[in-house]
Amino acid sequence: EKAGFKHFMLKEIHEQPRAIEDTLRGRLDREHGDVHGHEIGLSDDDARSIKRVFLLACGTSHHAAMTGRYYLESIARIPTSVELASEFRGREPMIGEGDLVVAVSQSGETIDTLIAAREAKERGAKILAIANVIGSAIPRMADAAFYTHAGPEIGVASTKCFSTQLANLMMLSIWLGKRRGSLDEAKARELVEAMARLPLLMRDVITGTRQLVCNLAKRYRDARDVLFLGRGLNYPIALEAALKLKEISYVHAEGYAAGEMKHGPIALIDSAVPVFVLMPKDRWYERTHGNLQEAKAREGQVIAIATEGDESAHSLSQDVIEVPDVPEAITPFLTVLPMQLYSYYVADFKGTDVDQPRNLAKTVTVE
Ligand code: F6R
């Protein structure tokens, strides 16, 4: 049941350290700085000969896939595209032999993802499913299934399934990178060790940020519009933060690539708009920091999600939600947690039906 939590969503947010632990179990090869990849369904030769990867997904799973693209490109060095399954369908896509399709779907039943993967399979691509529900339709039609082991997710808003999808996408990238010779030993070890520490780090972030995030939700619950900005690995997290807020609290929110602000949306910012800026210390930091200053100059209520000890973030923002200093590839696992909590608390203050938002279904089997 809800184990003392008010809603399944809050319980599932708190379960993420355990869910990640289950997902990583038996798969991280810490001795060799590698991943046990037999579930991926590819031979070492296949791994070397893949020309391109296509990630197909919808909704929250699409956001995980967007982060997955960074992993596949920077860790495995394979050209990768991310596609909304509903847009990929029927487009006569240029895809075929030598291409790997990774269909990412928590339920394994989303009809658009299923049909898109089928179309790709008919054209000769190999299909790998990343799914949570064992034996569901997408893993059944795929050539192989690399399951997340998040456990049953009851809340309609996906939380622990999202973070375990990130874990599988990261493991897939490490496994491919090692076989293709594109990932050096030291980097592989660094990533595997950082992943092994994730359950502890995630627990610390949840317990360490929860009170502040709850206070922020209380303060901004009546904001009409909310913006989330991020770059690179954290751009999909900005999109995910906005989706979560929309779907359970019915607040209008937008996630934006921080660099796009000056191309239009900055006009929206005034003193009534909370602007969350995802800016951990990574290769994009300086530029995102510049965007924070722009938002502040327009009197937005700026809240930074930044690395512990970032004095500059503290001096420029109204509030700072701190996350530990980790290798940049790991940051999305941590930055997403306070964003999930924020949408949860806003919804709870508003008194919406958190686990069963209006108009939404857990599994979307209609087109
Ligand atoms: C949002 C949410 C949805 C799903 C989407 C795809 O919180 O859960 O956006 O991510 O409907 O579902 P799956 O992953 O089952 O294919």
Side-chain angles (χ1 to χ4, degrees):
E1 264 301 304
K2 290 184 204 151
F5 290 99
K6 188 169 174 190
H7 294 97
F8 282 109
M9 183 184 179
L10 190 60
K11 171 175 175 259
E12 287 160 2
I13 289 173
H14 282 81
E15 271 173 1
Q16 289 176 103
R18 201 271 310 141
I20 288 279
E21 207 170 312
D22 289 346
T23 294
L24 300 180
R25 183 168 302 122
R27 288 159 163 180
L28 288 187
D29 177 358
R30 294 177 71 178
E31 194 186 330
H32 301 101
D34 199 354
V35 164
H36 297 295
H38 52 277
E39 297 155 288
I40 292 165
L42 301 173
S43 65
D44 286 10
D45 277 345
D46 291 337
R48 281 185 284 270
S49 60
I50 291 168
K51 293 194 198 67
R52 298 180 302 176
V53 176
F54 288 79
L55 295 160
L56 305 181
C58 303
T60 286
S61 297
H62 178 253
H63 298 151
M66 288 177 72
T67 298
R69 170 174 52 191
Y70 288 87
Y71 295 159
L72 283 155
E73 290 189 342
S74 68
I75 297 170
R77 306 294 297 145
I78 308 180
T80 303
S81 36
V82 193
E83 303 268 1
L84 287 166
S86 58
E87 288 295 317
F88 181 84
R89 288 183 50 187
R91 207 180 63 200
E92 302 188 37
M94 303 285 291
I95 191 168
E97 254 169 70
D99 294 330
L100 174 68
V101 163
V102 184
V104 186
S105 171
Q106 163 276 126
S107 64
E109 300 284 350
T110 298
I111 194 78
D112 280 323
T113 311
L114 176 64
I115 294 177
R118 236 182 237 151
E119 285 186 10
K121 191 175 192 179
E122 279 159 15
R123 289 177 147 81
K126 266 198 191 304
I127 316 294
L128 172 64
I130 292 183
N132 194 52
V133 179
I134 295 179
S136 52
I138 296 169
R140 282 205 313 273
M141 67 69 66
D143 297 298
F146 190 27
Y147 286 106
T148 53
H149 294 302
E153 193 176 63
I154 312 291
V156 164
S158 186
T159 52
K160 61 179 182 169
C161 284
F162 174 81
S163 41
T164 55
Q165 285 168 346
L166 291 185
N168 277 23
L169 288 160
M170 169 75 91
M171 286 192 281
L172 171 65
S173 305
I174 293 172
W175 186 83
L176 287 168
K178 287 282 280 200
R179 268 123 213 104
R180 294 167 73 91
S182 49
L183 176 61
D184 70 55
E185 200 61 36
K187 180 81 187 153
R189 282 189 189 280
E190 183 192 29
L191 289 174
V192 168
E193 285 311 305
M195 289 195 83
R197 281 194 297 135
L198 268 176
L200 275 178
L201 291 167
M202 291 171 82
R203 197 163 288 137
D204 286 351
V205 171
I206 293 168
T207 53
T209 63
R210 165 171 79 182
Q211 191 56 52
L212 169 61
V213 170
C214 180
N215 296 344
L216 293 172
K218 196 170 196 172
R219 191 189 311 157
Y220 298 123
R221 54 184 271 187
D222 294 320
R224 210 190 50 184
D225 311 287
V226 180
L227 284 177
F228 296 92
L229 309 181
R231 276 180 196 261
L233 283 156
N234 279 281
Y235 165 44
I237 304 304
L239 296 177
E240 174 59 7
L243 175 62
K244 281 282 157 300
L245 194 59
K246 282 183 273 206
E247 71 177 326
I248 62 167
S249 69
Y250 319 141
V251 170
H252 172 242
E254 298 221 39
Y256 254 98
E260 279 291 297
M261 286 309 286
K262 59 174 78 62
H263 301 290
I266 199 162
L268 289 171
I269 299 180
D270 63 25
S271 61
V273 182
V275 183
F276 288 80
V277 185
L278 293 145
M279 48 181 290
K281 284 271 165 61
D282 57 18
R283 72 184 83 169
W284 298 278
Y285 174 80
E286 299 299 335
R287 282 182 287 154
T288 312
H289 186 276
N291 301 122
L292 182 151
Q293 286 171 305
E294 287 158 16
K296 189 180 159 67
R298 283 160 187 80
E299 298 184 344
Q301 310 281 321
V302 181
I303 304 105
I305 297 86
T307 304
E308 273 164 8
D310 182 343
E311 293 309 325
S312 174
H314 277 277
S315 64
L316 287 169
S317 336
Q318 203 98 355
D319 287 281
V320 179
I321 301 170
E322 292 194 323
V323 292
D325 192 5
V326 291
E328 69 179 19
I330 301 292
T331 59
F333 289 89
L334 304 182
T335 53
V336 76
L337 302 169
M339 299 295 90
Q340 295 167 341
L341 285 165
Y342 182 74
S343 66
Y344 171 78
Y345 286 122
V346 173
D348 192 37
F349 283 127
K350 287 185 166 282
T352 64
D353 190 351
V354 173
D355 288 328
Q356 275 299 332
R358 64 188 184 201
N359 309 338
L360 291 176
K362 183 73 184 158
T363 304
V364 183
T365 51
V366 290
E367 301 181 38

